[in-house]
Amino acid sequence: QYGQDMADLVFEELVEGGMTRFVSIFQSEIPEEAGPIRSGRHVDASLVSPIADYFVFSGAARATLSHFAKTIPESVVISTEGAPGMHRTKYHPMPHNLFMYPQELIDSNKAAVSKTDGFFVKPATATPITGTAINKVALKFSQGSKPNWTWDAATSLWLRDDGKKPHMAISGKQLSATSLVVIRATETDAGYKGSTGGYVPRTVVTGTGKGYLIIGDTMTEVTWSKADDVSQMSLTDSSGNVVHPAPGKTWVEIITTSGDVSFTPAVAPASSPSPSKS
């Protein structure tokens, strides 16, 4: 991916054929080029509506476009293929060759800067999370999509692999995160078939559900709630405190009812025996 390592917030969602897609939010840094740009899904309305000034995707099924029109605020500039800055490359295979120059899009169509406090509700007073020390997060979206995150104490970052090898951006940097949020969500039928011939799953991230917040190497169980598409998502711990990811890059892994997640507890290094005294 181009620019993926510069995203402030990334959502990973299940699509047809057991594949996943990323919804990447750029604010602190705008990459010179980003992509590949792929098609939209119903759940994207819930992800972009609380925070986006611009929402960019290649296109979408008629049912999805209708859903976007009904739910995404009018203040959000929606851009699809053909918009300024969007271009097809000659050195990537179809359909992975649609890219964009984000700044060109921004300069050509000024969005009314929306007031936003972020995707997650911020507590009035930060509550330190307590929980289990872990060093690996193993995700299962499907049999063919099983990415992992491994804690790197040297950099205090979570490093991503695709289940086989480190997941690298075109910059040569391994994709990383300061905080991880894993939410368990309902999966329904979107009502149409995808290019693989199978049904397209529709992930629902409104309502409430269980999940996990991981900051540093500490994981705590949370309950998430989101009243509707345009509302922020609230995360609360077992004591009812509102909790929030740490400053830095955050990845949100949306695991549906057909998927799973597991954690590897961190094991403290065994203490060396004291040398015997003669």
Side-chain angles (χ1 to χ4, degrees):
Q1 284 82 25
Y2 284 55
Q4 185 76 349
D5 52 319
M6 297 171 68
D8 295 270
L9 178 62
V10 181
F11 300 92
E12 185 168 17
E13 62 188 40
L14 179 70
V15 297
E16 66 276 10
M19 299 179 291
T20 66
R21 293 272 174 86
F22 300 139
V23 178
S24 303
I25 311 297
F26 299 97
Q27 181 184 26
S28 301
E29 297 180 278
I30 304 297
E32 181 178 350
E33 187 175 25
I37 311 298
R38 302 302 306 275
S39 54
R41 295 294 185 274
H42 274 64
V43 67
D44 299 341
S46 293
L47 307 181
V48 305
S49 292
I51 49 177
D53 292 322
Y54 300 87
F55 176 32
V56 182
F57 55 99
S58 63
R62 184 176 301 175
T64 303
L65 292 174
S66 176
H67 180 68
F68 288 168
K70 295 174 183 177
T71 55
I72 296 177
E74 293 183 359
S75 60
V76 178
V77 174
I78 294 179
S79 299
T80 57
E81 185 166 6
M86 304 274 275
H87 59 281
R88 292 273 179 186
T89 70
K90 296 181 179 179
Y91 41 87
H92 296 96
M94 290 278 286
H96 309 280
N97 65 339
L98 181 62
F99 286 73
M100 67 173 298
Y101 300 121
Q103 195 61 52
E104 186 175 330
L105 176 67
I106 293 169
D107 292 341
S108 68
N109 193 350
K110 294 290 184 182
V113 178
S114 58
K115 179 183 180 300
T116 178
D117 294 318
F119 183 78
F120 295 105
V121 173
K122 291 183 175 69
T125 303
T127 302
I129 70 166
T130 58
T132 304
I134 61 172
N135 56 29
K136 185 173 182 179
V137 180
L139 301 159
K140 178 185 176 183
F141 286 92
S142 67
Q143 288 299 327
S145 183
K146 298 178 181 179
N148 302 300
W149 291 93
T150 302
W151 175 245
D152 181 43
T155 59
S156 295
L157 292 172
W158 287 94
L159 302 180
R160 180 181 167 91
D161 68 66
D162 62 8
K164 298 178 181 178
K165 60 184 184 301
H167 193 160
M168 312 297 289
I170 195 68
S171 64
K173 296 180 180 178
Q174 186 172 359
L175 299 184
S176 64
T178 306
S179 303
L180 302 174
V181 180
V182 181
I183 66 173
R184 303 303 303 257
T186 303
E187 176 188 331
T188 63
D189 190 334
Y192 62 93
K193 292 185 178 182
S195 58
T196 60
Y199 92 102
V200 175
R202 177 179 177 178
T203 303
V204 180
V205 292
T206 53
T208 187
K210 298 298 183 180
Y212 307 89
L213 172 62
I214 302 153
I215 299 177
D217 62 351
T218 302
M219 178 273 290
T220 190
E221 296 185 29
V222 297
T223 298
W224 65 266
S225 60
K226 192 174 188 298
D228 49 42
D229 286 308
V230 299
S231 296
Q232 291 176 287
M233 179 176 284
S234 176
L235 304 176
T236 55
D237 64 16
S238 58
S239 299
N241 300 308
V242 175
V243 289
H244 191 276
K249 300 182 187 301
T250 298
W251 277 62
V252 182
E253 303 286 7
I254 307 173
I255 301 296
T256 67
T257 45
S258 63
D260 204 359
V261 59
S262 61
F263 306 97
T264 302
V267 179
S271 56
S272 301
S274 301
S276 59
K277 296 181 180 179
S278 56

